[in-house]
Amino acid sequence: MCLALYVSGDQPLREIPFLKGQLALHTAAPAKFANSKIRKWLTGKHVLEIRSAEGCACKFIDDDPLPESHQEAQAALAELTAYLRGAGDDLELLACWLGDEKKEPRPLSLPISDIPSAPFRESWDQPLLIRLHT
C-alpha cells in the first residue's frame, strides 16, 4: 500500500509533469475514485495529488535507517517544502494511505517549514488533514 498526498488551495496550483528517469516531485489530478472522497475534506478550489519520483508519496516518509534512503527522503521533503512555499496561502494537505480517502482525517496545523518532520507515517491509522501556514 502507498501513501497518497493531496494539496488544495484557493489559487491554481503549479502542475509538474512526470518525466521518466527524472528523480523529482511531480503532480497529477487526483484519480477519479479519490476525487469525490477527498473533496469532502479539502476546502480549496484547486486540488492536486503530489507524488515523489516513486510515483506515490511514500518517499516523503523518512523512516528507513539506510543512509542513502534517508538522504533521498530528505531531498524529496526539501522539494515538497519548496513546492508548498511557492503554492500560495491557505493550503491544506491530506495525507492518507490509498483507499483510505473516505476515512475522516485527524486535523493538524503545521508551518510549511516543518514539512520535513511532518508525521506522514501517522496517517496509517487515520488520515491527516494538515492546514499549512507560514
Side-chain angles (χ1 to χ4, degrees):
M1 190 174 323
C2 288
L3 179 69
L5 190 60
Y6 304 97
V7 61
S8 79
D10 289 332
Q11 299 175 10
L13 300 163
R14 183 170 54 109
E15 295 184 37
I16 303 172
F18 173 73
L19 299 173
K20 190 174 181 174
Q22 181 178 336
L23 297 177
L25 175 144
H26 59 281
T27 62
K32 286 184 182 182
F33 79 88
N35 194 45
S36 63
K37 295 173 181 117
I38 63 175
R39 289 290 188 170
K40 182 176 180 178
W41 314 119
L42 297 170
T43 61
K45 294 177 192 173
H46 305 277
V47 177
L48 287 175
E49 183 175 352
I50 299 177
R51 300 174 181 165
S52 69
E54 294 179 338
C56 63
C58 288
K59 189 51 81 179
F60 301 124
I61 297 174
D62 185 11
D63 67 350
D64 193 325
L66 296 175
E68 182 177 311
S69 294
H70 172 71
Q71 290 171 346
E72 290 172 3
Q74 286 299 305
L77 286 161
E79 283 185 277
L80 176 59
T81 301
Y83 176 84
L84 294 170
R85 278 193 178 120
D89 298 323
D90 299 319
L91 297 176
E92 298 171 317
L93 286 179
L94 179 66
C96 64
W97 294 87
L98 285 176
D100 285 349
E101 288 86 355
K102 66 182 178 283
K103 291 183 179 179
E104 185 169 349
R106 177 172 59 97
L108 186 64
S109 179
L110 283 178
I112 292 174
S113 60
D114 284 358
I115 286 297
S117 60
F120 295 134
R121 167 138 323 275
E122 291 178 18
S123 64
W124 181 259
D125 295 321
Q126 182 180 16
L128 296 173
L129 180 59
I130 304 170
R131 303 217 189 288
L132 297 171
H133 54 90
T134 52

